[in-house]
Amino acid sequence: MSEFEKKISSFPLLRVENLTTVFETGARKVTAVDGVSFEVNEGETFALVGESGSGKSVTALSVIRLLPEAARITSGSVHFGKQDLLSLPEREMRDIRGSGISMIFQEPMTSLNPVVKVGKQISEVLIRHKGMSKAQARQRALDLLDAVNIKDPAHTIDTFAHELSGGMKQRVMIAIALACEPKLLIADEPTTALDVTIQATVLDLINELQQKFKMAILFITHDLGVVKQVSDHVAVMKQGKIVEQSSNEIFFSNPQHDYSWDLFSALPAMEKRGKPLLATNEIEKIIDQHVTEKDTLRVADLKVHFPIKKGIFKRTVGYVKAVDGVSLEIPPGKTVALVGESGSGKTTVGKGILRLVQPTSGEVTYLGLPIHQIDKQQLLEQRTNLQIVFQDPYSSMNPRMLVGDIIEEGMKALNVLKDSEARKERVLELLEQVSLSKDAHLRYPHEFSGGQRQRICIARALAVNPKIIICDEPTSALDVSVQAQILDLLNDLQARLGISYLFITHNMSVVAYFADRVAVMYQGKIVEEGEVEQVLTNPQHEYTKKLLAAVPKLVPPEREHMDVRI
Amino acid sequence: MFGKPVFLITDLLIFALVFVIIAFFIYAMRKPHLRAPWRQVVRSKAGVISIMVLLVYISIAILDSMHFHPKIENSSVEGEEQYNGEIQSVFDQIVAEIRNSTEKTYSAPFAAYLFAKETVQLEDGSKLREHPRLKWGGVHLDNPENEKSADILSLAVTGIVKAFIAWLVLVALLCLMLSLRTKNSLSTVVKNIVHGESDIPWRTIATTLAILLLVLLVGAEWATKYHVLGTDKVGEDVLYQALKSIRTGVVIGTLTTLLMLPFAITLGIMAGYFRGWIDDVIQYLYTTLNSIPGVLLIAAAVLMLNVYMGKHAEEFASLTQRADLRLLFLCLILGLTSWTGLCRLLRAETLKLREVDFVQAASAFGVGSTQTIFRHILPNMMHIVLITIVLDFSGLVLAEAVLSYINIGVDPTMNSWGNMINSARLEMAREPVVWWSLAASLFFMFTLVLFANLFADVVRDALDPRIAKQ
């Protein structure tokens, strides 16, 4: 064997060198990927970590050459084995996609064609790349569905995408991706849209299939817990550049770059309770209110059923039991977390308490008032006490209104401050309270980032001096570092103003860090409730145990371990 | 100076519309989120070109909407002003020359002779069949056969020179204004325009202006001596008819949408916001309306109006007023049959918006329904309304032509492209064919509809949030 051949055989499976991808829109140029180099060896999992906008997905799309029109690769090279992917003609590239490299995407709902049976979508790939006959392809599709742990492949093969659950769809997507036994699988946030228990099974599946098919995986994610669990190598991306690259063990015991440390410190965890995540000053409890029994919000046996109507006369043929007998207590100045998977009815509980949806039955008592049945006028008065912050910071503000008007709206509607000058003053005060600049009140929501918008939403809720804020997944649309800022802010406000939160979330580490009590919700019912430490360390109910086991374990490294910093 | 002003109903509505548009633009200028899409419109080349062409049309329509009874000169009674019973518009005064230059019957564009042969009695008593000279077109020529082309050319040259001078003056004013506003030297401003380096495509604007001035001024120069587009059966100038038709087209295109908007917006939002039985009633209403063929409804309504006007002839002071009422009625009935589409769109959008978090947040603050609708829902679907208005405009102009063609459109005495096409039916059957009436109406209508569509495209791109703005 000549020296040259040896060199070839030692080539990594994928070698990306100095890759630069630029988005050009009109006169504006944005460098999304900026001189990125990395190697993925056969059979290993390489994780690309970063926050939104760091360029990790664009890197993957550049590798497989599926960039949007506005984007252009300006320099660098991508080698797949010996082949230079960037110089291949599109026709040959099509052969590599699917059979050499394949990809699974974040959103299983939209990556499957809704009008073609899933079996056909799998066999399509096989017929295209392997030249199989229809019957052969169908047989292979059955095998593949079996391989991705689908219980009844013979039935599933003839179903449409909408008949499958999110986890099943992602399995089908994986089956399509693996149909031609690719050497490299690019997984772009494959579990982000899934619930944590389903995420765990999908991750296990990917791991199992990797062993079986001996393929390499380029795993793109923002979730450090997932990275820890699946990866051999880790690369951290920030603003289009890879700032740190190392093996899993080194990265999770002793990260080198400051930015990696920031990511770790922004992670909420049980150990950090009572300490701010980012801020340096300690949280001080300023208000020590006189608290009475009446200040606790009590929810007893709350039910919200949505009728299913059919026919011309809209007869009610059944009910969707979104919330089916929930009892809760929110003590003053405390945080109660409501945890559950998507569809478990947690958002409806929040809206039911506020009567944004009318509860079917059950009681909500606060300050001695039956909130569930008081008349319009009394409810209006109580709206100053009970407020809500929504999940999506983009849709929760009217894009046509100035931020100042948005914050002022509640004060005006509820007559909190009658004098318009006083209201203006209060708006400025609130903006300062949520650490936004004062000139923000004359700007429009679209001028702000996601985290800043969430601050505005919090300021809007605070404007009417509420005693209880229902936070409906306020951080789940945000990056970890921004999430940390918002959690710090909420902690700080609680300490200063004595507000209680009903914190609706699916993120266990946020619960561990942030909440005092936790209620676990499953299919419209609360299955377990108690102090956070107790529930998280010693869960009683089967579902809680399953939920906790599914959360990827991640113990952030201690900063003292660090000896050399580059 | 002209006489006693008369305000027809459509005039008032047009002025109201112009006023509302101007008010909206002044308001929008102060709101950055409203200003942004319109900035995008004036920064696109197709946008400025179509705006300029449409402005020409609209100014003609507005001039043609200022009506009055002309003063009778040399009035018989001393010290008292007397007015003609006929209603004229400012535009009629401007083009008085071609308005009054009627011939006996058909004549071809730029002709000096009638189109048809006539028997003329010569001085010696003998009779001759020939094409007689026109009373007005090319009457200044002694020998049309030899002199006409040279004359047309020389008139064109005069027009070009005038257009060039006017263009220079306007562009100079523009440059001066720009240099004052941007505080750049005059030479840099000119250089930027020539190289096309400006946000607003001034170079495109200047070019379009040149073409428009050329067409207008050369046309005007010709029109002083010839029938540029010939004459029709009763010898009326076709160019004049086509120009007068502009108002009819614009009125139908704008007023119809204006009249249907209140229905569409109120009912659409009500159905989507309140749901329940209100939604049911409104949905049944528009489904029913939608299932009646539109043409049938329009025909029935117009025929009913005809009967009414025939029985109550004394209520109408003049033919013009009568025709105007019929025009308004046509707008009304067209509006009544066309609100359902927009209503459905708005209902769907409201259904979506009322579940959006910011509307939920407003109800968590106890904001009332009316306020929620006006503050949160209506402003967030104005883009749909605007896009529909502009898109519908060209469709309605065309609808007028079709309806007039089957005789249920505007009054036969009113100038409209539809009526011109209708009368061209017989002209097309003549041998040799009389093509200019049809060609003129098609050309004017085509230009208006083409630029309205281009404008609609640009507006949609600018306003539709689904088209990602980069």
Side-chain angles (χ1 to χ4, degrees):
Chain A
M1 195 187 271
S2 76
E3 193 64 17
F4 180 71
E5 275 173 355
K6 253 188 205 164
K7 215 174 163 187
I8 294 274
S9 68
S10 68
F11 265 14
L13 180 66
L14 179 75
R15 200 180 69 211
V16 176
E17 270 176 310
N18 203 21
L19 182 75
T20 303
T21 305
V22 179
F23 276 80
E24 262 177 70
T25 46
R28 263 181 61 215
K29 271 190 188 178
V30 179
T31 310
V33 179
D34 192 0
V36 161
S37 308
F38 62 90
E39 289 177 358
V40 182
N41 293 315
E42 269 177 54
E44 78 165 7
T45 304
F46 187 90
L48 213 48
V49 199
E51 305 204 311
S52 53
S54 59
K56 44 194 200 309
S57 285
V58 180
T59 306
L61 292 173
S62 305
V63 167
I64 201 166
R65 277 181 43 195
L66 284 175
L67 286 167
E69 247 174 68
R72 222 157 33 83
I73 298 171
T74 52
S75 71
S77 67
V78 178
H79 284 271
F80 180 61
K82 280 177 272 180
Q83 269 170 316
D84 180 4
L85 291 188
L86 297 187
S87 64
L88 275 188
E90 179 60 25
R91 201 164 43 82
E92 285 175 44
M93 191 64 208
R94 271 206 292 272
D95 288 332
I96 289 193
R97 281 183 214 130
S99 64
I101 306 176
S102 62
M103 190 155 179
I104 46 180
F105 298 92
Q106 174 172 357
E107 191 52 79
M109 311 295 162
T110 53
S111 356
L112 284 172
N113 187 339
V115 295
V116 178
K117 287 178 181 164
V118 296
K120 205 171 167 206
Q121 296 188 48
I122 303 175
S123 32
E124 208 173 51
V125 191
L126 294 164
I127 296 167
R128 162 77 176 78
H129 286 294
K130 298 253 157 161
M132 287 187 185
S133 73
K134 270 194 181 173
Q136 282 174 315
R138 190 179 162 88
Q139 191 48 50
R140 179 89 180 100
L142 281 171
D143 295 345
L144 280 164
L145 286 175
D146 192 46
V148 295
N149 294 345
I150 282 181
K151 296 243 166 54
D152 185 4
H155 169 72
T156 313
I157 197 163
D158 286 321
T159 53
F160 290 100
H162 69 265
E163 299 173 58
L164 304 174
S165 68
M168 294 266 272
K169 275 184 211 160
Q170 200 59 297
R171 278 162 207 263
V172 172
M173 274 311 295
I174 295 172
I176 294 175
L178 297 185
C180 298
E181 296 172 27
K183 290 213 179 73
L184 174 68
L185 175 71
I186 299 177
D188 188 357
E189 307 250 11
T191 57
T192 308
L194 304 175
D195 280 323
V196 61
T197 45
I198 301 166
Q199 162 172 299
T201 55
V202 170
L203 289 178
D204 283 347
L205 173 70
I206 292 178
N207 190 23
E208 184 192 318
L209 294 170
Q210 182 177 24
Q211 309 294 326
K212 200 161 148 191
F213 291 100
K214 306 223 171 349
M215 62 182 175
I217 299 179
L218 176 58
F219 202 101
I220 295 165
T221 183
H222 68 277
D223 189 332
L224 287 171
V226 172
V227 173
K228 163 100 174 155
Q229 190 179 334
V230 300
S231 70
D232 301 313
H233 273 86
V234 184
V236 182
M237 275 192 92
K238 186 195 179 190
Q239 290 167 359
K241 291 194 172 80
I242 289 183
V243 294
E244 174 165 5
Q245 224 182 122
S246 53
S247 74
N248 186 322
E249 296 79 39
I250 295 176
F251 181 75
F252 285 97
S253 58
N254 187 13
Q256 300 298 310
H257 197 273
D258 270 353
Y259 180 67
S260 314
W261 277 110
D262 290 344
L263 285 180
F264 279 118
S265 62
L267 283 177
M270 183 78 93
E271 296 76 29
K272 297 180 190 170
R273 285 177 70 88
K275 291 177 222 153
L277 290 168
L278 298 177
T280 41
N281 53 323
E282 291 290 307
I283 297 171
E284 288 171 54
K285 204 151 191 145
I286 297 170
I287 290 190
D288 196 24
Q289 292 169 307
H290 180 67
V291 174
T292 63
E293 186 68 354
K294 274 192 346 193
D295 292 319
T296 299
L297 182 124
R298 284 175 215 284
V299 180
D301 202 26
L302 186 77
K303 285 183 185 169
V304 182
H305 294 178
F306 296 111
I308 307 166
K309 289 183 175 171
K310 273 196 178 153
I312 301 180
F313 299 107
K314 307 258 170 86
R315 262 181 325 119
T316 305
V317 294
Y319 290 96
V320 176
K321 298 182 177 176
V323 178
D324 198 21
V326 162
S327 302
L328 265 182
E329 276 185 11
I330 309 175
K334 297 279 182 206
T335 302
V336 178
L338 190 58
V339 198
E341 302 193 331
S342 53
S344 61
K346 30 187 214 309
T347 297
T348 317
V349 170
K351 289 190 175 171
I353 293 175
L354 285 180
R355 276 180 60 185
L356 290 177
V357 292
Q358 187 61 36
T360 313
S361 69
E363 287 175 13
V364 182
T365 18
Y366 182 59
L367 299 176
L369 282 170
I371 302 287
H372 58 284
Q373 59 181 33
I374 50 178
D375 64 20
K376 239 180 159 180
Q377 193 51 46
Q378 279 176 304
L379 181 65
L380 219 54
E381 282 162 22
Q382 287 312 310
R383 293 237 183 263
T384 57
N385 289 331
L386 306 170
Q387 271 306 316
I388 184 164
V389 173
F390 294 95
Q391 171 177 9
D392 182 1
Y394 293 89
S395 67
S396 53
M397 279 183 286
N398 187 343
R400 312 256 176 221
M401 279 167 76
L402 290 171
V403 166
D405 295 335
I406 290 173
I407 298 176
E408 209 184 321
E409 183 175 32
M411 288 192 267
K412 255 195 216 162
L414 295 175
N415 261 330
V416 174
L417 286 171
K418 293 208 172 56
D419 176 40
S420 81
E421 280 306 307
R423 283 201 301 260
K424 290 257 147 41
E425 208 128 290
R426 176 89 174 112
V427 168
L428 297 182
E429 192 187 311
L430 284 163
L431 284 172
E432 207 183 337
Q433 223 164 30
V434 297
S435 329
L436 284 172
S437 68
K438 281 189 173 177
D439 61 345
H441 75 287
L442 286 177
R443 288 156 69 189
Y444 285 94
H446 68 86
E447 297 169 58
F448 296 90
S449 69
Q452 287 172 321
R453 283 164 185 241
Q454 209 55 293
R455 284 165 193 272
I456 298 170
C457 291
I458 293 171
R460 171 174 66 180
L462 286 178
V464 294
N465 308 317
K467 305 280 187 314
I468 298 175
I469 298 182
I470 292 172
C471 302
D472 187 1
E473 308 235 17
T475 59
S476 66
L478 306 174
D479 281 326
V480 266
S481 57
V482 185
Q483 164 175 293
Q485 293 169 13
I486 297 292
L487 291 179
D488 280 353
L489 172 67
L490 289 173
N491 255 336
D492 181 51
L493 290 171
Q494 185 166 54
R496 278 195 289 161
L497 307 172
I499 304 172
S500 352
Y501 300 119
L502 176 63
F503 201 92
I504 298 168
T505 182
H506 64 269
N507 189 332
M508 283 316 229
S509 50
V510 171
V511 174
Y513 167 70
F514 191 66
D516 299 304
R517 293 182 70 80
V518 58
V520 183
M521 211 169 159
Y522 182 62
Q523 294 185 343
K525 292 192 171 72
I526 286 183
V527 294
E528 186 162 1
E529 207 248 334
E531 294 293 322
V532 165
E533 283 90 347
Q534 179 207 328
V535 173
L536 295 194
T537 50
N538 186 18
Q540 296 303 311
H541 193 271
E542 275 311 304
Y543 176 71
T544 320
K545 284 181 192 162
K546 199 174 131 201
L547 194 66
L548 286 171
V551 177
K553 296 285 170 302
L554 177 63
V555 181
E558 291 291 320
R559 193 136 203 182
E560 291 80 60
H561 287 193
M562 183 184 57
D563 14 75
V564 192
R565 273 179 58 186
I566 302 161
Chain B
M1 150 194 163
F2 291 116
K4 195 165 73 180
V6 182
F7 293 103
L8 303 174
I9 309 172
T10 50
D11 293 347
L12 292 175
L13 287 172
I14 283 215
F15 293 138
L17 187 65
V18 170
F19 176 76
V20 168
I21 291 174
I22 291 173
F24 171 75
F25 270 87
I26 291 172
Y27 174 75
M29 280 302 131
R30 285 198 243 122
K31 302 262 174 174
H33 63 87
L34 288 175
R35 198 171 56 198
W38 293 104
R39 282 170 98 101
Q40 202 187 329
V41 171
V42 294
R43 274 167 198 190
S44 81
K45 286 180 182 164
V48 290
I49 295 175
S50 46
I51 287 177
M52 290 176 75
V53 176
L54 289 178
L55 270 182
V56 172
Y57 270 84
I58 289 167
S59 12
I60 292 178
I62 290 175
L63 283 177
D64 205 8
S65 296
M66 300 174 177
H67 288 104
F68 59 90
H69 288 295
K71 193 155 63 176
I72 297 176
E73 309 290 334
N74 329 316
S75 147
S76 51
V77 188
E78 272 303 309
E80 198 176 318
E81 289 185 337
Q82 284 204 329
Y83 299 102
N84 199 329
E86 189 195 13
I87 295 175
Q88 285 193 10
S89 71
V90 174
F91 183 70
D92 286 333
Q93 291 288 313
I94 296 171
V95 295
E97 207 163 357
I98 53 172
R99 173 184 149 88
N100 298 327
S101 61
T102 46
E103 305 293 344
K104 200 167 175 193
T105 178
Y106 291 119
S107 70
F110 289 111
Y113 295 97
L114 270 186
F115 186 63
K117 274 188 179 163
E118 272 183 9
T119 314
V120 214
Q121 191 153 26
L122 295 180
E123 280 161 19
D124 55 2
S126 63
K127 285 178 180 170
L128 184 70
R129 275 189 67 77
E130 57 153 22
H131 296 288
R133 282 293 296 268
L134 294 178
K135 279 187 276 179
W136 186 80
V139 81
H140 59 294
L141 302 174
D142 294 330
N143 188 357
E145 281 81 5
N146 301 332
E147 295 169 14
K148 202 168 82 178
S149 3
D151 187 51
I152 290 172
L153 203 67
S154 82
L155 284 172
V157 170
T158 325
I160 291 169
V161 171
K162 278 186 185 171
F164 185 64
I165 293 167
W167 183 77
L168 272 187
V169 171
L170 286 174
V171 170
L173 279 176
L174 175 76
C175 291
L176 211 64
M177 186 196 82
L178 279 182
S179 84
L180 281 180
R181 248 180 62 180
T182 56
K183 306 212 166 55
N184 281 336
S185 73
L186 210 53
S187 61
T188 23
V189 169
V190 174
K191 209 160 71 191
N192 280 346
I193 292 179
V194 172
H195 292 289
E197 288 164 352
S198 49
D199 284 346
I200 297 173
W202 291 116
R203 188 171 57 173
T204 317
I205 293 180
T207 319
T208 319
L209 187 68
I211 294 169
L212 282 176
L213 283 172
L214 214 61
V215 171
L216 286 175
L217 290 176
V218 172
E221 205 61 35
W222 282 335
T224 55
K225 303 280 193 236
Y226 296 97
H227 296 291
V228 179
L229 293 171
T231 54
D232 71 349
K233 192 175 180 184
V234 290
E236 228 183 35
D237 191 279
V238 171
L239 177 65
Y240 171 74
Q241 286 182 357
L243 287 173
K244 284 287 279 183
S245 304
I246 289 176
R247 174 175 185 268
T248 317
V250 171
V251 164
I252 295 222
T254 51
L255 288 194
T256 306
T257 6
L258 189 75
L259 291 170
M260 98 187 181
L261 276 187
F263 291 100
I265 294 179
T266 349
L267 294 179
I269 293 182
M270 272 170 65
Y273 190 81
F274 295 109
R275 301 190 291 191
W277 65 268
I278 299 183
D279 187 20
D280 289 349
V281 169
I282 293 170
Q283 275 195 69
Y284 284 127
L285 190 70
Y286 68 60
T287 327
T288 315
L289 254 180
N290 247 11
S291 53
I292 305 172
V295 177
L296 201 72
L297 207 65
I298 294 167
V302 168
L303 293 177
M304 262 161 59
L305 183 76
N306 271 356
V307 172
Y308 174 83
M309 289 198 298
K311 281 188 179 162
H312 301 81
E314 69 286 352
E315 282 178 21
F316 303 101
S318 68
L319 272 180
T320 323
Q321 272 178 2
R322 206 184 122 122
D324 184 69
L325 187 71
R326 187 161 157 171
L327 176 67
L328 181 71
F329 198 73
L330 186 70
C331 291
L332 208 70
I333 194 75
L334 273 175
L336 206 64
T337 50
S338 65
W339 61 270
T340 50
L342 180 61
C343 181
R344 203 176 302 205
L345 275 180
L346 294 184
R347 173 181 171 270
E349 189 70 14
T350 313
L351 278 175
K352 200 177 82 193
L353 278 176
R354 80 188 296 280
E355 298 302 326
V356 170
D357 287 346
F358 63 80
V359 178
Q360 295 274 310
S363 49
F365 283 123
V367 178
S369 301
T370 335
Q371 286 216 31
T372 308
I373 288 175
F374 280 108
R375 199 183 295 155
H376 295 295
I377 292 187
L378 191 59
N380 278 299
M381 49 195 211
M382 277 325 273
H383 64 278
I384 300 185
V385 176
L386 276 172
I387 292 166
T388 316
I389 293 178
V390 201
L391 277 175
D392 276 3
F393 176 80
S394 46
L396 288 164
V397 173
L398 294 174
E400 185 275 324
V402 173
L403 292 175
S404 299
Y405 181 74
I406 54 174
N407 264 331
I408 54 169
V410 296
D411 198 84
T413 61
M414 183 167 238
N415 288 308
S416 88
W417 293 314
N419 279 339
M420 286 172 78
I421 294 170
N422 188 17
S423 58
R425 235 189 320 195
L426 294 173
E427 295 166 3
M428 297 305 284
R430 283 175 68 107
E431 185 58 42
V433 70
V434 175
W435 50 269
W436 44 88
S437 238
L438 186 72
S441 60
L442 285 184
F443 172 75
F444 275 83
M445 195 160 68
F446 169 77
T447 320
L448 177 61
V449 171
L450 174 69
F451 285 101
N453 279 342
L454 283 176
F455 184 62
D457 262 359
V458 181
V459 169
R460 197 195 49 215
D461 288 354
L463 286 177
D464 198 337
R466 273 169 299 189
I467 297 171
K469 264 168 256 174
Q470 308 280 315

